[in-house]
Amino acid sequence: DAGVTQSPTHLIKTRGQQVTLRCSPKSGHDTVSWYQQALGQGPQFIFQYYEEEERQRGNFPDRFSGHQFPNYSSELNVNALLLGDSALYLCASSSRGGNQPQHFGDGTRLSIL
Amino acid sequence: QQQVKQSPQSLIVQKGGIPIINCAYENTAFDYFPWYQQFPGKGPALLIAIRPDVSEKKEGRFTISFNKSAKQFSLHIMDSQPGDSATYFCAATREGGATNKLIFGTGTLLAVQP
Protein backbone atom coordinates (compact mmCIF):
# COMPACT_ATOMS: atom_id res chain seq x y z
CA ASP A 1 0.00 0.00 0.00
CA ALA A 2 1.76 3.14 -1.22
CA GLY A 3 1.98 6.01 1.16
CA VAL A 4 2.02 9.68 0.24
CA THR A 5 4.32 10.28 -2.73
CA GLN A 6 5.76 13.63 -3.77
CA SER A 7 7.71 14.75 -6.80
CA PRO A 8 10.24 15.95 -7.53
CA THR A 9 12.51 15.14 -4.58
CA HIS A 10 14.74 18.15 -5.09
CA LEU A 11 14.41 21.29 -7.18
CA ILE A 12 16.64 24.29 -7.78
CA LYS A 13 15.15 27.51 -9.12
CA THR A 14 16.17 31.15 -9.39
CA ARG A 15 14.39 34.19 -8.05
CA GLY A 16 11.31 35.21 -10.04
CA GLN A 17 10.70 31.77 -11.52
CA GLN A 18 7.63 29.63 -11.02
CA VAL A 19 7.50 26.08 -9.67
CA THR A 20 4.96 23.24 -9.50
CA LEU A 21 5.16 20.48 -6.92
CA ARG A 22 3.09 17.32 -7.05
CA CYS A 23 1.54 15.00 -4.48
CA SER A 24 -0.32 11.69 -4.64
CA PRO A 25 -2.21 10.88 -1.44
CA LYS A 26 -2.16 7.61 0.43
CA SER A 27 -4.61 5.07 -0.95
CA GLY A 28 -8.07 5.67 0.47
CA HIS A 29 -7.40 9.29 1.37
CA ASP A 30 -9.35 12.14 -0.22
CA THR A 31 -7.88 15.23 1.44
CA VAL A 32 -4.50 16.83 0.79
CA SER A 33 -2.78 19.48 2.91
CA TRP A 34 0.41 21.34 2.05
CA TYR A 35 2.97 22.51 4.59
CA GLN A 36 6.19 24.53 4.32
CA GLN A 37 9.07 23.52 6.60
CA ALA A 38 11.94 25.97 6.82
CA LEU A 39 15.30 24.64 8.02
CA GLY A 40 15.21 23.95 11.76
CA GLN A 41 11.53 24.80 12.08
CA GLY A 42 8.25 22.95 12.36
CA PRO A 43 5.97 22.63 9.34
CA GLN A 44 3.67 25.60 8.64
CA PHE A 45 0.22 25.03 7.12
CA ILE A 46 -0.20 26.49 3.61
CA PHE A 47 -3.64 25.22 2.56
CA GLN A 48 -5.85 22.14 2.31
CA TYR A 49 -7.79 20.68 -0.60
CA TYR A 50 -10.92 18.55 -0.36
CA GLU A 51 -13.42 17.79 -3.11
CA GLU A 52 -11.20 19.75 -5.50
CA GLU A 53 -11.64 22.97 -3.53
CA GLU A 54 -9.34 24.97 -1.25
CA ARG A 55 -10.89 24.73 2.21
CA GLN A 56 -8.64 27.03 4.23
CA ARG A 57 -5.41 28.92 3.74
CA GLY A 58 -2.67 29.63 6.22
CA ASN A 59 -0.68 32.85 6.38
CA PHE A 60 0.80 32.60 2.90
CA PRO A 61 0.54 35.12 0.02
CA ASP A 62 -1.42 34.60 -3.17
CA ARG A 63 1.81 33.60 -4.92
CA PHE A 64 1.08 30.19 -3.42
CA SER A 65 -1.77 28.40 -5.17
CA GLY A 66 -2.92 24.85 -5.57
CA HIS A 67 -5.16 22.42 -7.27
CA GLN A 68 -6.73 19.05 -6.55
CA PHE A 69 -7.64 16.62 -9.31
CA PRO A 70 -10.56 14.15 -9.43
CA ASN A 71 -8.18 11.32 -8.46
CA TYR A 72 -7.38 13.31 -5.25
CA SER A 73 -3.80 14.10 -6.29
CA SER A 74 -2.72 17.69 -5.84
CA GLU A 75 -0.31 20.35 -7.07
CA LEU A 76 1.27 23.27 -5.28
CA ASN A 77 2.28 26.22 -7.45
CA VAL A 78 4.51 29.06 -6.33
CA ASN A 79 4.98 32.12 -8.56
CA ALA A 80 7.60 34.87 -8.46
CA LEU A 81 9.92 32.83 -6.27
CA LEU A 82 11.80 34.60 -3.48
CA LEU A 83 14.93 33.49 -1.65
CA GLY A 84 12.77 33.00 1.43
CA ASP A 85 10.73 30.35 -0.35
CA SER A 86 13.63 27.94 0.04
CA ALA A 87 12.25 25.15 2.23
CA LEU A 88 11.02 21.58 2.38
CA TYR A 89 7.47 21.41 1.05
CA LEU A 90 5.45 18.64 2.60
CA CYS A 91 2.22 17.09 1.46
CA ALA A 92 -0.04 15.33 3.96
CA SER A 93 -3.11 13.27 3.21
CA SER A 94 -6.06 12.21 5.32
CA SER A 95 -9.51 10.78 4.83
CA ARG A 96 -13.10 11.95 5.13
CA GLY A 97 -12.53 15.61 4.62
CA GLY A 98 -9.49 16.02 6.82
CA ASN A 99 -10.07 13.84 9.85
CA GLN A 100 -6.90 12.82 11.63
CA PRO A 101 -4.44 11.31 11.40
CA GLN A 102 -2.56 13.04 8.62
CA HIS A 103 0.17 11.09 6.84
CA PHE A 104 3.11 12.96 5.35
CA GLY A 105 5.24 12.38 2.29
CA ASP A 106 9.00 12.89 2.29
CA GLY A 107 8.66 16.31 0.75
CA THR A 108 10.22 18.33 -2.05
CA ARG A 109 13.38 20.25 -1.16
CA LEU A 110 13.15 23.59 -3.00
CA SER A 111 16.26 25.74 -3.22
CA ILE A 112 16.10 29.27 -4.62
CA LEU A 113 19.32 30.81 -5.93
CA GLN B 1 -3.61 31.50 20.57
CA GLN B 2 -2.55 29.37 17.64
CA GLN B 3 0.95 28.66 18.94
CA VAL B 4 2.30 25.43 20.32
CA LYS B 5 5.43 25.94 22.40
CA GLN B 6 7.92 23.07 22.55
CA SER B 7 10.96 22.48 24.74
CA PRO B 8 13.79 21.71 24.92
CA GLN B 9 15.23 22.64 21.54
CA SER B 10 17.74 19.80 21.78
CA LEU B 11 18.35 16.86 24.07
CA ILE B 12 21.18 14.37 24.57
CA VAL B 13 20.64 11.16 26.54
CA GLN B 14 22.50 7.91 27.03
CA LYS B 15 21.15 4.65 25.67
CA GLY B 16 18.47 3.35 28.02
CA GLY B 17 17.64 6.81 29.33
CA ILE B 18 14.16 8.40 29.26
CA PRO B 19 14.09 11.64 27.27
CA ILE B 20 11.12 13.89 27.98
CA ILE B 21 9.87 16.53 25.54
CA ASN B 22 7.32 19.09 26.64
CA CYS B 23 4.69 21.11 24.79
CA ALA B 24 2.21 23.78 25.82
CA TYR B 25 -0.76 25.26 23.98
CA GLU B 26 -3.14 28.16 24.47
CA ASN B 27 -6.17 27.39 22.32
CA THR B 28 -8.62 25.36 24.43
CA ALA B 29 -10.47 24.37 21.24
CA PHE B 30 -7.62 22.01 20.32
CA ASP B 31 -8.73 18.42 20.83
CA TYR B 32 -6.17 16.23 19.06
CA PHE B 33 -2.48 16.20 19.94
CA PRO B 34 -0.11 14.08 17.80
CA TRP B 35 3.62 13.61 18.02
CA TYR B 36 5.66 13.21 14.85
CA GLN B 37 9.18 11.81 14.40
CA GLN B 38 11.32 13.10 11.56
CA PHE B 39 14.62 11.69 10.32
CA PRO B 40 16.94 13.73 8.08
CA GLY B 41 15.69 13.77 4.49
CA LYS B 42 12.34 12.28 5.43
CA GLY B 43 8.88 13.60 6.13
CA PRO B 44 7.33 13.59 9.61
CA ALA B 45 5.97 10.19 10.64
CA LEU B 46 3.10 9.91 13.10
CA LEU B 47 4.36 8.37 16.34
CA ILE B 48 1.49 8.55 18.80
CA ALA B 49 -1.47 10.83 19.45
CA ILE B 50 -3.82 11.67 22.30
CA ARG B 51 -7.18 13.31 22.82
CA PRO B 52 -7.97 15.32 25.97
CA ASP B 53 -10.39 12.77 27.41
CA VAL B 54 -7.44 10.70 28.70
CA SER B 55 -4.40 11.72 30.76
CA GLU B 56 -1.95 9.17 29.42
CA LYS B 57 -1.46 6.96 26.38
CA LYS B 58 1.21 4.32 25.79
CA GLU B 59 2.28 2.71 22.54
CA GLY B 60 5.33 0.51 22.86
CA ARG B 61 8.18 2.56 24.34
CA PHE B 62 6.40 5.89 23.70
CA THR B 63 4.09 7.53 26.25
CA ILE B 64 2.14 10.78 26.08
CA SER B 65 1.15 12.47 29.33
CA PHE B 66 -1.61 15.07 29.03
CA ASN B 67 -2.57 17.76 31.56
CA LYS B 68 -5.73 19.45 30.33
CA SER B 69 -5.95 22.04 33.13
CA ALA B 70 -2.35 23.17 32.56
CA LYS B 71 -2.73 22.93 28.75
CA GLN B 72 0.46 20.90 28.56
CA PHE B 73 1.44 17.54 27.15
CA SER B 74 4.69 15.63 26.99
CA LEU B 75 6.36 12.71 25.23
CA HIS B 76 8.40 10.15 27.16
CA ILE B 77 10.59 7.60 25.36
CA MET B 78 11.32 4.58 27.53
CA ASP B 79 14.59 2.63 27.16
CA SER B 80 15.78 5.00 24.43
CA GLN B 81 17.96 3.59 21.65
CA PRO B 82 20.42 5.20 19.21
CA GLY B 83 17.84 4.55 16.47
CA ASP B 84 15.49 6.97 18.25
CA SER B 85 17.86 9.84 17.37
CA ALA B 86 15.67 12.17 15.31
CA THR B 87 13.73 15.42 15.50
CA TYR B 88 10.43 15.22 17.36
CA PHE B 89 7.52 17.58 16.79
CA CYS B 90 4.42 18.00 18.87
CA ALA B 91 1.31 19.33 17.16
CA ALA B 92 -2.25 20.29 17.93
CA THR B 93 -5.46 20.68 16.00
CA ARG B 94 -9.19 21.03 16.35
CA GLU B 95 -10.78 17.97 14.77
CA GLY B 96 -14.12 19.65 14.43
CA GLY B 97 -12.64 22.67 12.70
CA ALA B 98 -12.90 23.58 9.04
CA THR B 99 -9.69 21.87 7.97
CA ASN B 100 -8.10 20.15 10.96
CA LYS B 101 -4.84 21.89 10.09
CA LEU B 102 -1.96 20.90 12.32
CA ILE B 103 -0.18 23.55 14.38
CA PHE B 104 3.36 22.33 15.02
CA GLY B 105 5.87 23.07 17.73
CA THR B 106 9.39 24.12 16.77
CA GLY B 107 10.85 20.65 17.23
CA THR B 108 13.31 18.89 19.55
CA LEU B 109 16.50 17.36 18.19
CA LEU B 110 17.14 14.18 20.19
CA ALA B 111 20.50 12.40 20.22
CA VAL B 112 20.74 9.04 21.98
CA GLN B 113 24.36 8.12 22.63
CA PRO B 114 25.43 4.44 22.60
Side-chain angles (χ1 to χ4, degrees), chain A residues 37 48 55-56 98 100 102 106, chain B residues 36 38 43-44 98-100 102:
Chain A
Q37 186 178 22
Q48 185 180 86
R55 301 183 75 197
Q56 189 175 356
Q100 303 301 332
Q102 294 187 34
D106 287 337
Chain B
Y36 283 85
Q38 187 175 29
T99 61
N100 306 320
L102 290 167

Side-chain angles (χ1 to χ4, degrees), chain B residues 4 15-16 23 25-26 31 40-41 43-44 49 79 89 94 100 104 113-114:
Chain B
V4 175
K15 178 182 174 182
C23 286
Y25 64 98
E26 290 294 325
D31 56 8
D79 187 27
F89 292 95
R94 180 185 172 197
N100 306 320
F104 282 87
Q113 296 182 335

Side-chain angles (χ1 to χ4, degrees), chain A residues 2 16-17 20 22 24 28-30 32 38 46 55-56 62-63 66 69 86 88 90 92 99 102 104-106 112:
Chain A
Q17 286 189 310
T20 298
R22 295 175 176 82
S24 292
H29 286 181
D30 57 9
V32 172
I46 302 175
R55 301 183 75 197
Q56 189 175 356
D62 291 345
R63 298 187 297 109
F69 299 93
S86 294
L88 180 67
L90 295 162
N99 283 338
Q102 294 187 34
F104 284 81
D106 287 337
I112 310 301

Side-chain angles (χ1 to χ4, degrees), chain B residues 81-92:
Chain B
Q81 302 296 313
D84 295 329
S85 298
T87 300
Y88 292 81
F89 292 95
C90 62

Side-chain angles (χ1 to χ4, degrees), chain B residues 25-85:
Chain B
Y25 64 98
E26 290 294 325
N27 189 343
T28 55
F30 289 152
D31 56 8
Y32 180 81
F33 303 88
W35 285 89
Y36 283 85
Q37 178 190 56
Q38 187 175 29
F39 292 104
K42 296 293 186 181
L46 180 65
L47 203 56
I48 185 173
I50 197 168
R51 292 182 172 84
D53 53 341
V54 296
S55 60
E56 185 176 275
K57 184 174 182 179
K58 293 182 180 180
E59 285 187 5
R61 295 185 294 108
F62 301 94
T63 298
I64 300 179
S65 297
F66 189 86
N67 186 329
K68 186 175 181 179
S69 60
K71 292 184 287 186
Q72 296 176 346
F73 57 110
S74 60
L75 176 70
H76 299 61
I77 305 176
M78 307 302 176
D79 187 27
S80 59
Q81 302 296 313
D84 295 329
S85 298

